[in-house]
Amino acid sequence: MDDFGHDPQVDDLPPLIWLDAFPWLRGASTDDNANAWWEVPIAVSGSVERVVKLERIAELAIERLSQWTIGQIFPGLPPSFPLTALRLPVRAGNVLARRGISTTDELSLLVLDEIMDWRNVGIGTVSTILQVLAECSMSISTTSVMAENSTGRQEDRYVEHAHPPVLSSGLIASVREIAMWQTAIGLPAAPLLGDKIPAGVPPEIRSARGYLEALSAKDVLQESELELDAAALLDNELGKLDSRAVGILQKRVFADKPATLDELGIEYGFTRERARQIEGKARAAMLDAISSGTLHMVANAARALIGTIRPLTDLVRLMPALNGTVQAVNQPVWRVIDRLDDAYQITEGWCVVPTLTAAREWTAAQLQERTDYHGVGRLEELDLIECSPDLNQSELTAEWLRSCGYIVDDTTVLTRTASVGDYAAAILFLRGSPMTADEIIECFAVKRTAGSLKNAMTNDERFERVDRKEWALAEWGMEAYAGIRSVIRKELAKAGGAISINRLVEHITGKYSVSSSSVMAYASTPPFELRGGMVKSAGMSRETRKPPRVHRACIDAVMNGSIAFALTTTTYEAAVQSLPSRLPQFLVWRTATNYSSHRS
């Protein structure tokens, strides 16, 4: 007899029935108790019945225990057993070998869901691996986890019906009065509280009906029964396990940071393998507990309310008992049921079906269908979250999408933000008008530079530069901006080769964000020229051009400040007109400076 009151000669018996080897079968199976095949002796090796049962065990594990580890699913799996010694098909063996898994110890720590997510591993291969492991796990004895005074019998599992409810005389009288009335009017088979009360019903019957409709549990149950909320029922079930099993569940299954099997083995004084066996059998016993009776109804109601996604705060508001504390493990009811029932997952403040990963994948698929070409979706048009009618669904939807990593503002969600170009296109689409690169960057939720954005938009056909600094979506059909020279060239073509400088400046500055001085500078330098207030292409000048060497000499003279035009001219205007027509504007300015200096 050990410190926990267990006799190894009694506890460590080889499994005789299927439930001995796989204690979770009753809780995970969808078969009714009338066909409780898990309570029959294990079929002989090699028989057809044995093969069929092993296939069913693998199927149930995949359907109901995807968040369990292999060690929890198969508590009888022998420790440190080489996988090469198992009769695994070549494909299944290669799958495990490629991931460096060579013993049952290494495999027992893996969660089944992780294995099913392995690349290029189909459900058939996973099922085959599980069947082989199930066969192997039936060859070793496992320890009992039930308390010494607990039979673990299903009929003893629930205590809420230990005493029949005491019905008040008022309740019985009201039921009889309604029944007598319906019989009197020829409706003996009609539900007593079915339809709305029709006109002409006597006041006595209305009163009796109102009494019944106002009944609560407090009017029907005894005081001791009113204490049996979900937390108390779970405590009752945990009380049927021995203290080591409850401790392992608390520190490993229900904990935020689970203890390792080695740590548990040291604490309780047995091997990590024994700790794994106890964990698997204890978890299976609790799964069995929430698979029938009132706890089963609680778990099913929570699953139905969650739908696909629901905030935990809303679920607890609808089912307050879920926030109660299970004293045996010091955890809220919702945490205990969540860790036992793989039909849904509660994490990060969200309740999702069946897992967080699956809910996020479903969300991505929904967004793909309901967003536009630029990945923009309206929150009010998204039906992703289950919540009570009095809550703001759009706000909750935004909160959920942010938790999934999407960019969300007050009314929209952006789903295409992986690249700078995608992000910029979505922002421009929402703004509906041209923006500068700096303005677009200010809208980014991630840090980027205006330079990288400009480079991306320049090489992306979705964008068009429509001003010196502004960008637009090409789909808007706005005129592209190619620079001031191109604009001047177009305006000259429209005007027949010459245009007033004032008209040109007014047009360009009114359409683009450029200054009048910039327009003047471009209009007076090649390939254009400005004469007498008119701009035209420099090639259109009919003056006899001086030889290059004359120009060079003139330029040198101006740059050296030695041109002596002041000796032959008396005004600045005359001095400027004496310069060659193609002399650059800055030389004209220099000439004027020299002239003024000379006059002074």
Side-chain angles (χ1 to χ4, degrees):
M1 189 81 67
D2 64 17
D3 294 338
F4 297 95
H6 294 280
D7 186 348
Q9 293 182 343
V10 176
D11 285 344
D12 299 340
L13 296 175
L16 300 178
I17 63 175
W18 293 101
L19 195 62
D20 291 337
F22 312 102
W24 46 265
L25 276 176
R26 180 164 45 201
S29 179
T30 55
D31 300 330
D32 54 42
N33 289 328
N35 184 28
W37 58 269
W38 47 82
E39 294 182 351
V40 302
I42 296 175
V44 297
S45 180
S47 66
V48 174
E49 181 186 355
R50 188 178 180 110
V51 172
V52 171
K53 292 296 189 294
L54 290 175
E55 289 177 351
R56 180 60 177 153
I57 288 169
E59 181 183 352
L60 286 172
I62 292 172
E63 289 178 357
R64 297 295 308 277
L65 310 180
S66 61
Q67 300 302 310
W68 289 36
T69 65
I70 294 299
Q72 292 169 346
I73 297 172
F74 304 114
L77 200 62
S80 305
F81 195 77
L83 298 182
T84 53
L86 299 179
R87 296 180 179 179
L88 285 167
V90 175
R91 179 176 178 80
N94 290 339
V95 165
L96 297 172
R98 281 197 299 268
R99 287 163 176 78
I101 301 170
S102 58
T103 67
T104 52
D105 280 348
E106 296 166 341
L107 188 58
S108 66
L109 299 176
L110 297 179
V111 176
L112 178 55
D113 197 42
E114 296 175 5
I115 298 176
M116 291 192 291
D117 285 340
W118 283 351
R119 188 179 182 86
N120 298 324
V121 177
I123 197 70
T125 301
V126 175
S127 178
T128 299
I129 293 174
L130 294 178
Q131 291 175 48
V132 173
L133 293 176
E135 178 72 57
C136 178
S137 69
M138 290 190 293
S139 63
I140 190 171
S141 58
T142 60
T143 186
S144 171
V145 296
M146 303 307 294
E148 201 170 2
N149 60 350
S150 173
T151 64
R153 291 166 55 85
Q154 182 73 9
E155 54 269 28
D156 297 331
R157 198 173 292 281
Y158 296 94
V159 299
E160 64 263 38
H161 300 307
H163 303 285
V166 178
L167 303 180
S168 68
S169 58
L171 187 151
I172 297 175
S174 296
V175 170
R176 285 188 56 81
E177 193 164 8
I178 296 173
M180 293 297 291
W181 161 255
Q182 292 192 171
T183 301
I185 63 175
L187 297 174
L192 296 183
L193 302 176
D195 300 326
K196 293 182 179 180
I197 301 177
V201 173
E204 297 87 346
I205 304 304
R206 289 180 178 274
S207 176
R209 175 80 172 259
Y211 174 80
L212 292 179
E213 290 177 344
L215 283 175
S216 67
K218 292 182 178 180
D219 300 315
V220 177
L221 300 179
Q222 297 180 4
E223 186 174 350
S224 60
E225 294 173 316
L226 291 174
E227 297 176 357
L228 294 175
D229 60 3
L233 293 174
L234 286 169
D235 270 322
N236 287 340
E237 295 303 326
L238 287 165
K240 298 176 181 179
L241 305 178
D242 64 38
S243 58
R244 60 181 179 176
V246 175
I248 288 175
L249 287 177
Q250 179 182 15
K251 296 169 185 176
R252 186 158 170 84
V253 177
F254 303 138
D256 288 324
K257 296 181 179 179
T260 66
L261 293 173
D262 288 322
E263 291 170 343
L264 293 173
I266 293 173
E267 179 177 352
Y268 291 102
F270 43 63
T271 65
R272 67 187 306 276
E273 199 55 37
R274 177 56 59 91
R276 180 180 65 79
Q277 291 179 3
I278 294 174
E279 177 193 11
K281 297 194 76 171
R283 188 170 184 176
M286 291 305 297
L287 175 62
D288 191 16
I290 68 168
S291 297
S292 60
T294 304
L295 283 175
H296 179 59
M297 291 188 286
V298 171
N300 277 350
R303 186 184 307 130
L305 282 172
I306 291 170
T308 301
I309 306 164
R310 183 183 286 270
L312 175 59
T313 53
D314 191 36
L315 180 65
V316 168
R317 189 173 70 156
L318 296 172
M319 299 180 66
L322 294 180
N323 220 22
T325 300
V326 182
Q327 298 297 332
V329 292
N330 195 30
Q331 290 288 351
V333 171
W334 62 260
R335 167 69 63 79
V336 173
I337 294 180
D338 165 48
R339 296 297 173 85
L340 295 174
D341 191 349
D342 278 355
Y344 53 89
Q345 184 178 3
I346 301 177
T347 180
E348 300 177 14
W350 292 98
C351 311
V352 295
V353 172
T355 64
L356 183 63
T357 300
R360 286 177 172 172
E361 290 174 352
W362 177 83
T363 298
Q366 294 295 310
L367 290 176
Q368 188 173 8
E369 294 179 1
R370 303 183 187 189
T371 52
D372 58 30
Y373 171 74
H374 297 292
V376 177
R378 306 290 176 182
L379 294 179
E380 62 183 14
E381 299 175 359
L382 300 177
D383 185 18
L384 305 176
I385 306 297
E386 298 286 346
C387 66
S388 299
D390 60 325
L391 298 180
N392 189 317
Q393 189 174 35
S394 292
E395 289 183 2
L396 291 173
T397 300
E399 187 179 340
W400 164 250
L401 292 174
R402 289 191 187 98
S403 73
C404 294
Y406 293 103
I407 305 298
V408 183
D409 63 13
D410 293 337
T411 59
T412 57
V413 55
L414 308 183
T415 62
R416 296 183 59 184
T417 57
S419 71
V420 174
D422 289 341
Y423 206 162
I427 290 173
L428 280 170
F429 176 79
L430 287 173
R431 173 68 67 88
S433 61
M435 300 173 67
T436 67
D438 289 330
E439 290 173 338
I440 297 174
I441 287 294
E442 288 180 3
C443 298
F444 277 25
V446 292
K447 189 174 182 180
R448 294 289 186 272
T449 64
S452 64
L453 175 58
K454 289 178 184 177
N455 291 336
M457 292 191 294
T458 299
N459 299 314
D460 193 326
E461 61 183 11
R462 291 176 295 176
F463 302 96
E464 195 75 77
R465 184 183 176 191
V466 295
D467 200 344
R468 190 165 62 92
K469 294 183 178 181
E470 291 188 332
W471 297 79
L473 291 175
E475 64 190 53
W476 294 344
M478 298 180 67
E479 183 179 354
Y481 174 78
I484 297 179
R485 284 192 179 90
S486 296
V487 175
I488 294 175
R489 189 176 290 110
K490 289 181 180 179
E491 293 305 311
L492 285 176
K494 292 178 182 178
I499 187 172
S500 164
I501 184 62
N502 293 334
R503 178 183 168 190
L504 183 65
V505 169
E506 181 181 0
H507 171 76
I508 295 178
T509 57
K511 187 173 183 179
Y512 303 106
S513 57
V514 296
S515 64
S516 56
S517 59
S518 295
V519 178
M520 292 280 289
Y522 278 100
S524 58
T525 56
F528 313 109
E529 63 180 7
L530 174 59
R531 276 182 172 278
M534 298 297 293
V535 180
K536 57 185 177 180
S537 295
M540 296 179 60
S541 175
R542 296 184 181 180
E543 287 188 7
T544 302
R545 300 180 61 182
K546 296 181 180 181
R549 57 187 180 84
V550 177
H551 276 285
R552 182 71 265 167
C554 185
I555 293 172
D556 289 342
V558 172
M559 293 301 293
N560 293 331
S562 60
I563 190 167
F565 58 85
L567 299 178
T568 57
T569 58
T570 57
T571 66
Y572 165 70
E573 290 78 6
V576 173
Q577 290 178 3
S578 69
L579 296 174
S581 61
R582 291 181 59 83
L583 193 64
Q585 187 73 21
F586 77 91
L587 295 183
V588 175
W589 172 82
R590 182 63 182 269
T591 301
T593 303
N594 290 340
Y595 173 74
S596 299
S597 176
H598 178 78
R599 295 281 292 181
S600 63

